[in-house]
């Protein structure tokens, strides 16, 4: 089976785009482009946690609702959420109403504040785990990697929740730490160039 599918413009994309119409835009404008923005990184870690056991289409369709519910994933604000905020979110039909996952976001916001106090930057910390491309196999053939296992282990050690190796690997794919666009996809070379031009946080 081919690893690509033709997009609306007749050019090849990763086959998973064909699963939903809205995936083409997400694939072409977000997935795999390197990100250094602290809030976007935290948002994606949270949303990948919410995706656990669900489809990305479900989460993507609710993303704006999640952003509204969680103050655009401003972890400074979320860290101050109370039990009343948790209970309020559990009644919000626009998001995934899973108590453990909601509590994990609140917990993880507090852990980010500790991490930033200790490390100076969430982005700089995350990008330390960017793997060498030589360590990676063929695109989209793995669900974890040595780097995702290591980052997951460290986050859990720091008290984060819903950050297993598979969740972290999906996060790394999406945020550009890994270029997992398949060979033949028109975005693969674009991501390669974007990563070449990207200034890694915390590095001179």
């Amino acid at each position: 089976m081919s690893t690509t599918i033709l997009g609306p413009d007749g050019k090849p994309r990763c086959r998973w785009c064909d699963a939903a119409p809205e995936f083409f835009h997400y694939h072409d404008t977000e997935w795999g482009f390197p990100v250094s923005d602290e809030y976007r990184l935290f948002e994606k870690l949270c949303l990948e946690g919410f995706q656990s056991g669900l489809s990305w289409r479900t989460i993507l369709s609710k993303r704006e609702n999640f952003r509204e519910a969680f103050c655009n994933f401003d972890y400074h604000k979320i860290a101050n959420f109370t039990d009343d905020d948790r209970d309020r979110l559990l009644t919000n039909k626009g998001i995934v109403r899973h108590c453990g996952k909601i509590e994990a976001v609140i917990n993880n916001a507090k852990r980010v504040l500790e991490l930033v106090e200790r490390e100076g930057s969430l982005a700089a910390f995350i990008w330390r785990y960017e793997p060498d491309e030589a360590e990676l196999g063929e695109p989209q053939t793995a669900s974890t990697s040595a780097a995702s296992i290591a980052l997951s282990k460290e986050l859990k050690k720091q008290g984060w929740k819903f950050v297993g190796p598979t969740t972290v690997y999906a996060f790394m794919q999406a945020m550009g730490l890994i270029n997992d666009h398949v060979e033949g996809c028109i975005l693969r070379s674009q991501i390669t160039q974007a990563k070449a031009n990207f200034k890694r946080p915390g590095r001179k």
Side-chain angles (χ1 to χ4, degrees):
M1 179 184 292
S2 173
T3 57
T4 60
I5 191 78
L6 296 182
D9 57 2
K11 296 178 181 179
R13 309 294 203 285
C14 296
R15 174 164 282 279
W16 60 262
C17 291
D18 200 35
E22 60 268 31
F23 281 178
F24 281 104
H25 183 264
Y26 174 71
H27 171 274
D28 287 4
T29 62
E30 293 187 54
W31 197 73
F33 284 96
V35 173
S36 60
D37 181 89
E38 305 264 306
Y39 297 127
R40 282 190 62 198
L41 290 168
F42 180 64
E43 172 187 285
K44 188 60 174 171
L45 276 169
C46 293
L47 293 182
E48 289 295 347
F50 271 108
Q51 185 190 344
S52 180
L54 302 171
S55 71
W56 176 241
R57 186 179 190 182
T58 297
I59 303 304
L60 186 60
S61 69
K62 296 175 180 288
R63 184 164 63 171
E64 291 305 319
N65 297 332
F66 277 111
R67 287 171 172 169
E68 182 178 359
F70 287 101
C71 306
N72 286 316
F73 291 93
D74 182 336
Y75 46 80
H76 299 92
K77 295 178 180 178
I78 299 171
N80 292 319
F81 278 17
T82 64
D83 289 347
D84 287 342
D85 291 305
R86 177 203 60 201
D87 294 343
R88 171 178 52 80
L89 290 168
L90 283 169
T91 68
N92 187 334
K93 296 180 180 180
I95 65 171
V96 174
R97 293 179 289 174
H98 184 291
C99 187
K101 293 176 180 180
I102 290 171
E103 289 180 338
V105 172
I106 299 170
N107 169 78
N108 293 349
K110 296 174 182 178
R111 303 293 79 81
V112 174
L113 292 180
E114 295 169 355
L115 186 153
V116 171
E117 178 69 23
R118 185 174 59 250
E119 305 283 349
S121 165
L122 173 63
F125 171 80
I126 291 292
W127 276 92
R128 288 180 204 158
Y129 289 86
E130 179 186 12
D132 187 311
E133 287 194 10
E135 300 173 6
L136 303 173
E138 290 295 312
Q140 298 179 38
T141 58
S143 59
T144 64
S145 69
S148 78
I149 292 169
L151 178 53
S152 170
K153 182 178 180 180
E154 181 56 33
L155 289 173
K156 288 180 179 180
K157 182 180 176 182
Q158 294 181 21
W160 291 58
K161 298 179 180 179
F162 278 92
V163 285
T166 301
T167 294
V168 170
Y169 188 77
F171 162 80
M172 296 174 86
Q173 288 174 301
M175 296 289 97
L177 283 86
I178 299 169
N179 182 359
D180 229 21
H181 287 271
V182 297
E183 295 292 343
C185 172
I186 63 165
L187 265 294
R188 184 166 179 82
S189 61
Q190 292 185 36
I191 299 298
T192 298
Q193 187 60 50
K195 284 174 67 67
N197 296 333
F198 180 66
K199 187 179 187 309
R200 271 66 175 171
R203 301 184 197 175
K204 296 182 179 179

